[in-house]
Amino acid sequence: MTTTTNRFGQPVGHPVPDWQPPILPGNLMLQGRYCRLEPLSAEQHGNTLWEAWRQPDPAIPGDTHGEARWTYLGGRPFVDTAGCHTWLRQCGAGHDPRFMAVIEAASGSALGVAAWLNIQPAHGSVELGHLNFSPRLARTPAATEALVLMMRHAFALGFRRLEWKCDALNAPSRRAAQRLGLRFEGIFHQHRVVNGRNRDSAWYSLLDREWRQLMPVFERWLSPDNFDAHGRQHRALSVLTAAAGLPPRATTT
């Protein structure tokens, strides 16, 4: 990135010519090979999401009722089907966050949610978060594809910056951000109080020019020939994104 100087001789950021704020994301279905994303609807997706979220996560010891996946989201906000529908109805009614349901292509079932949030069209900035993938969806090609579809949609609309923020103690979320090629920007200490506990937040981001460099990487990883008959990857995404060799970010030259 370059800087320039204004008429007072002060350094200022580079011009963004013909800048036009993008429109809000999330008003249409996003179709992939392994999944699709639809605007969240309690009526359409509530029952399957409730059942999917009730299943224990075998990767988390002691998670007998699927509650552990909510730890870093502030805790599960419902205890039964009716409560789940009420919560989903509230989520689906908003535009920021803008929630999407993740539909597994093989089963046609909604198995998780994700959202765009902190949507700032005037500045071209948007965050990807509120990720809650059920055990059936987590760690599958469909889960990664869902995130790639949301990233691609945001940048196609004209957003310049995509953010990812998570609890600094949420190791799986931090690994996911790095695996997708997002850049670590630092820790915001004492960022929030969640359920009476301190939360330090880890911040990551991806810029539009970096996305253009990573897009072929995602296409290569998501190709059917990258997976065996059991859905196991031949080439790890983390290896491919690291090999893409994104240049260091610089604020001045």
Side-chain angles (χ1 to χ4, degrees), residues 137-159:
L137 180 62
R139 298 175 290 276
T140 67
T144 297
E145 185 180 50
L147 299 175
V148 172
L149 288 171
M150 295 185 74
M151 294 162 66
R152 183 176 71 184
H153 182 57
F155 286 117
L157 291 175
F159 284 91

Side-chain angles (χ1 to χ4, degrees), residues 71-72 165-171 173-174 198-202:
T71 295
Y72 298 112
K165 305 183 186 82
C166 63
D167 191 311
L169 299 176
N170 187 350
S173 184
R174 297 188 65 172
N198 176 66
R199 168 176 151 165
D200 297 338
S201 294

Side-chain angles (χ1 to χ4, degrees), residues 46-112:
N47 289 339
T48 52
L49 283 172
W50 164 248
E51 291 300 327
W53 281 332
R54 291 177 64 196
Q55 304 307 309
D57 189 335
I60 304 177
D63 181 35
T64 57
H65 298 95
E67 292 183 281
R69 298 195 65 79
W70 295 85
T71 295
Y72 298 112
L73 292 172
R76 190 160 67 183
F78 47 79
V79 296
D80 54 21
T81 307
C84 181
H85 275 252
T86 298
W87 182 77
L88 291 173
R89 198 169 293 112
Q90 294 168 348
C91 292
H95 295 287
D96 187 356
R98 182 58 161 141
F99 275 86
M100 303 290 282
V102 182
I103 315 298
E104 183 187 49
S107 65
S109 298
L111 299 181

Side-chain angles (χ1 to χ4, degrees), residues 8 16 18-19 40 49 51 69 97 199 223 238:
F8 304 108
V16 183
D18 304 318
W19 168 247
L40 180 63
L49 283 172
E51 291 300 327
R69 298 195 65 79
R199 168 176 151 165
S223 175
S238 58

Side-chain angles (χ1 to χ4, degrees), residues 1-237:
M1 302 297 290
T2 59
T3 61
T4 185
T5 55
N6 64 13
R7 64 191 181 92
F8 304 108
Q10 298 165 310
V12 294
H14 69 283
V16 183
D18 304 318
W19 168 247
Q20 293 293 327
I23 64 173
L24 297 178
N27 295 318
L28 72 166
M29 182 181 74
L30 304 179
Q31 182 67 57
R33 180 178 288 116
Y34 306 103
C35 73
R36 70 178 185 274
L37 291 102
E38 301 173 349
L40 180 63
S41 164
E43 288 67 30
Q44 287 181 262
H45 310 124
N47 289 339
T48 52
L49 283 172
W50 164 248
E51 291 300 327
W53 281 332
R54 291 177 64 196
Q55 304 307 309
D57 189 335
I60 304 177
D63 181 35
T64 57
H65 298 95
E67 292 183 281
R69 298 195 65 79
W70 295 85
T71 295
Y72 298 112
L73 292 172
R76 190 160 67 183
F78 47 79
V79 296
D80 54 21
T81 307
C84 181
H85 275 252
T86 298
W87 182 77
L88 291 173
R89 198 169 293 112
Q90 294 168 348
C91 292
H95 295 287
D96 187 356
R98 182 58 161 141
F99 275 86
M100 303 290 282
V102 182
I103 315 298
E104 183 187 49
S107 65
S109 298
L111 299 181
V113 300
W116 294 282
L117 65 154
N118 292 323
I119 305 169
Q120 301 289 334
H123 305 298
S125 175
V126 64
E127 181 179 346
L128 181 58
H130 291 296
L131 309 179
N132 196 315
F133 295 167
S134 68
R136 278 181 57 187
L137 180 62
R139 298 175 290 276
T140 67
T144 297
E145 185 180 50
L147 299 175
V148 172
L149 288 171
M150 295 185 74
M151 294 162 66
R152 183 176 71 184
H153 182 57
F155 286 117
L157 291 175
F159 284 91
R160 306 170 60 232
R161 170 183 168 86
L162 183 134
E163 299 175 343
W164 178 297
K165 305 183 186 82
C166 63
D167 191 311
L169 299 176
N170 187 350
S173 184
R174 297 188 65 172
R175 286 195 299 268
Q178 294 164 347
R179 176 174 173 265
L180 289 166
L182 280 81
R183 304 291 192 97
F184 177 61
E185 293 190 333
I187 301 293
F188 278 50
H189 295 278
Q190 296 188 183
H191 181 219
R192 294 181 182 174
V193 176
V194 180
N195 284 341
R197 295 181 181 274
N198 176 66
R199 168 176 151 165
D200 297 338
S201 294
W203 286 44
Y204 298 81
S205 72
L206 188 69
L207 307 183
D208 49 2
R209 65 180 184 273
E210 296 166 343
W211 164 254
R212 289 190 290 271
Q213 191 169 341
L214 287 177
M215 187 164 51
V217 172
F218 294 128
E219 293 173 352
R220 187 157 63 250
W221 187 83
L222 289 167
S223 175
D225 63 12
N226 190 41
F227 301 96
D228 64 18
H230 302 286
R232 293 187 292 254
Q233 63 183 354
H234 296 304
R235 294 165 294 183
L237 181 58

